[in-house]
Amino acid sequence: ITFIGNLLCLQDNSTKPGLWFDTAGGNYALWYMSYQWWDYIILIFLVRFIPDAVKRRNISFLICFAAMLSYSFFPNHLSIIIWYYWIFELGCFVAMVHFEVEKFRWEVIGETILMLLVWIFLEKNGLRMSIGYHPLLEVRHFVFALFLLTGYYIIRKLKWHSFPLLKPFIVFSSLSYGIYLLHVPMKMICLNYMQNEAISLILAFFLTIILAYMLNNLLTHRQSIAKAG
């Protein structure tokens, strides 16, 4: 059942209530694939019916805010998928600003802060939990999204696009998704077969980088073939 749920991109890790399927094989990093898949489905639907970016984002905020309220009172997987779409929408906003399709709007940050504050108020009784568990886990995700959004604004404002410290991120950008998805199983395999934890983690690190590189090359090669055909 769990495997089928993962194939349908309906999985999440068990640190939140109201979920339908746990991640397969103990690879908790797979939780994000579910959100990523449905984010694109929601985006396609919204772009189809609301082509204007600003109007679409305003409507998205209202829908996501309602989903956040729904998840707080009646925890369920559908609500948190829709609520978390707002983080994806923030990424779309950064892309639109970066390519100068629209200007940076502070209202977007204000809306995200409002959403976060309402969540903290509603879940204040559970905020003593670990930061890796509901409801602090959701706070962590949205705070990190705000951090990246604000950081992008600062970098853009100060024209730090060629800042040396950013270059390593450019090098690993194409491998980042593969690294994220592979690091957990590589760590589990190495720790299972080797007694020395430090050596196991170092080996897992290099195996993850190598496999992510191979995966990226394979996908890039297939894309090239598809375009050529």
Side-chain angles (χ1 to χ4, degrees):
I1 299 291
T2 300
F3 180 71
I4 295 174
N6 279 248
L7 289 178
L8 296 173
C9 289
L10 296 173
Q11 76 277 8
D12 203 338
N13 57 46
S14 57
T15 56
K16 312 184 193 84
L19 305 180
W20 295 342
F21 299 97
D22 202 353
T23 52
N27 186 0
Y28 54 83
L30 292 174
W31 75 273
Y32 191 65
M33 288 191 68
S34 168
Y35 290 80
Q36 194 76 27
W37 168 261
W38 292 109
D39 283 342
Y40 281 110
I41 297 298
I42 294 171
L43 178 64
I44 292 170
F45 178 82
L46 290 174
V47 169
R48 172 67 178 81
F49 292 99
I50 315 171
D52 182 76
V54 176
K55 184 178 181 181
R56 183 173 65 247
R57 191 167 300 111
N58 291 335
I59 293 175
S60 296
F61 172 74
L62 295 176
I63 294 172
C64 294
F65 192 87
M68 181 265 294
L69 295 177
S70 171
Y71 185 71
S72 179
F73 291 107
F74 309 103
N76 64 90
H77 193 60
L78 177 61
S79 291
I80 196 169
I81 286 286
I82 296 174
W83 173 28
Y84 266 52
Y85 172 76
W86 182 247
I87 296 179
F88 183 79
E89 186 65 50
L90 294 179
C92 294
F93 170 64
V94 168
M96 299 288 275
V97 173
H98 182 74
F99 291 106
E100 300 181 348
V101 178
E102 61 176 295
K103 294 182 179 179
F104 193 94
R105 296 167 52 234
W106 282 98
E107 299 96 310
V108 177
I109 290 182
E111 289 166 344
T112 308
I113 292 174
L114 173 63
M115 186 182 288
L116 183 60
L117 291 176
V118 172
W119 173 257
I120 291 173
F121 174 77
L122 293 173
E123 301 291 335
K124 58 183 180 296
N125 293 331
L127 293 180
R128 295 181 180 179
M129 295 290 290
S130 168
I131 198 168
Y133 291 85
H134 167 87
L136 269 181
L137 179 62
E138 293 89 335
V139 174
R140 188 183 81 185
H141 289 157
F142 275 83
V143 167
F144 188 65
L146 278 170
F147 170 77
L148 292 179
L149 184 58
T150 306
Y152 170 76
Y153 174 79
I154 294 172
I155 290 172
R156 184 176 177 82
K157 196 71 174 176
L158 298 178
K159 298 181 179 180
W160 283 356
H161 299 89
S162 59
F163 194 58
L165 290 178
L166 298 178
K167 290 184 179 180
F169 293 98
I170 298 174
V171 173
F172 285 99
S173 60
S174 60
L175 307 181
S176 60
Y177 207 77
I179 291 172
Y180 181 72
L181 293 178
L182 292 169
H183 81 280
V184 176
M186 289 301 100
K187 183 178 71 173
M188 293 170 63
I189 291 171
C190 290
L191 288 174
N192 187 49
Y193 286 98
M194 301 185 69
Q195 294 182 349
N196 190 302
E197 183 177 353
I199 295 177
S200 297
L201 293 177
I202 293 172
L203 179 61
F205 172 78
F206 285 106
L207 285 175
T208 300
I209 298 294
I210 293 170
L211 289 175
Y213 177 78
M214 293 172 63
L215 179 62
N216 179 67
N217 282 356
L218 176 64
L219 294 176
T220 303
H221 179 66
R222 287 190 174 183
Q223 288 176 355
S224 301
I225 294 175
K227 289 180 180 179

